[in-house]
Amino acid sequence: MTLDDLPTPCLVLDLSILKRNLARMQAAVARHQGLVLRPHMKTAKSIAVADLAAPGKGPITVSTIAEARYFAGGGFRDQIYAVGITPAKLDAVAALNAQGCDVKVITDDADVASAIAAHPGPLRALVEVDCGEGRGGVAPDSNLLTEIAGRLGTRCAGIMTHAGHSYAERSEAGMQAVAEAEHRGAVTAAARLRAMGATVDVVSLGSSPTALYGRDMGGVTDVRAGVYMFGDLFQGQIGTHGLDDIAVTVLTAVTGRKPDRNAVLVDAGAIALSKDRSTERAPKDYGFGLMLDIDGKPSFGDAIVVRTHQEHGEVRGEHPLPFDALPIGALVRVAPNHTCLTVAAHDRYHVVDGRRDVIATWDRVNGW
């Protein structure tokens, strides 16, 4: 089978680029003695990818109960479920742990901590710390931090934090500064919990930028990152990888030609590409994606998906498009502006290795 045989739209994953991206992150983490990479699988959602990203069924991070079950079934037992837990989900996590898993939950709420402590099943929890992102978590120096740990009691396993605001930076120095603040918040919180006698087995932090550029990881047990595996047009502009390191693209077919506005229509719309606009504030706005040729090369220059409807995408070129090379049915690929959301609606990856031959099909888990 080759790309020419695939239904459109669908995902294409280039194995050689994926392996290159994984090696870059593994090398960055290996700079720090004793630090463990705990890949976040919320984007890839694939056991085949996890086997490459966390060799030997190593520790991983998940974002849904569906992922936790799926990866547990694939042999990945050491997990952090990195979304604030609700009491209604505790039974599902405890059931996995009763089968031999160690799925750690997170919370920044004292009442939920009490519910975790009172649950009859095997559960361990991390206190979520806010190191500056302003999403979930409690401040490292807050009274609530120690109250939550106190309520967890023997169920406390440590702390976790996430520097999502690192993606707002546009320079290596900026990402390093966020990484330093993230590290400082994490070790401060961990020290406070240890001082009160709480168990702190895990001090977990990370985002792709801070994992790559953090200079001091002393006192940290593991670092979480995920988007680095596949990359996208946004990451390619902020310095986490190059624009030639995007491993996942969407294969799509030309369905309409509009020479009067130098545009083509394709059958990848909002569902296949997402409506996210992560590059809107980046140096170069790639709209909803960049159209490449079937081999993944930028043969059309800056041919950008400027509009998406449910199943339609409109690509306009900054230079005249070669309409003779783009007949109805012609296959092209779209590089995503935010790969995490682009892959979300798809159920599999069609794997290539720098060529048009499809060498494997890898499944992925969706839903919650």
Side-chain angles (χ1 to χ4, degrees), residues 77-98:
R77 298 185 176 277
D78 182 355
Q79 304 180 18
I80 292 176
Y81 174 27
V83 175
I85 194 72
T86 64
K89 296 179 180 178
L90 293 176
D91 286 349
V93 176
L96 288 172
N97 290 341

Side-chain angles (χ1 to χ4, degrees), residues 153-280:
T154 58
R155 298 286 175 89
C156 182
I159 68 97
M160 65 82 69
T161 186
H162 170 59
H165 53 306
S166 61
Y167 293 106
E169 299 299 326
R170 297 293 181 268
S171 68
E172 184 173 329
M175 287 184 278
Q176 286 176 342
V178 173
E180 289 170 7
E182 178 187 38
H183 174 258
R184 185 167 55 250
V187 296
T188 295
R192 292 186 67 212
L193 295 196
R194 290 192 179 102
M196 63 178 285
T199 298
V200 184
D201 293 331
V202 178
V203 180
S204 179
L205 55 76
S207 63
S208 289
T210 59
L212 286 168
Y213 295 112
R215 289 179 290 191
D216 184 0
M217 293 289 181
V220 177
T221 60
D222 67 63
V223 61
R224 307 180 319 280
V227 72
Y228 73 93
M229 301 179 198
F230 292 168
D232 55 40
L233 293 164
F234 176 74
Q235 299 295 322
Q237 293 190 74
I238 68 171
T240 54
H241 63 73
L243 285 172
D244 58 348
D245 293 323
I246 299 174
V248 169
T249 53
V250 176
L251 184 72
T252 183
V254 173
T255 59
R257 308 195 307 165
K258 307 297 175 185
D260 58 317
R261 58 178 186 262
N262 195 35
V264 295
L265 302 180
V266 295
D267 63 358
I271 294 177
L273 299 175
S274 95
K275 292 284 279 188
D276 194 37
R277 289 294 311 281
S278 65
T279 61
E280 192 170 14

Side-chain angles (χ1 to χ4, degrees), residues 232-234 237 273-291 302-308 313-316 318 334-339 342:
D232 55 40
L233 293 164
F234 176 74
Q237 293 190 74
L273 299 175
S274 95
K275 292 284 279 188
D276 194 37
R277 289 294 311 281
S278 65
T279 61
E280 192 170 14
R281 294 181 179 86
K284 174 72 175 181
D285 186 359
Y286 284 101
F288 300 100
L290 175 68
M291 186 175 75
D302 286 335
I304 294 171
V305 183
V306 296
R307 289 198 298 171
T308 56
E314 180 176 339
V315 182
R316 294 188 185 180
E318 290 191 359
V334 175
N337 72 65
H338 184 185
T339 191
T342 295

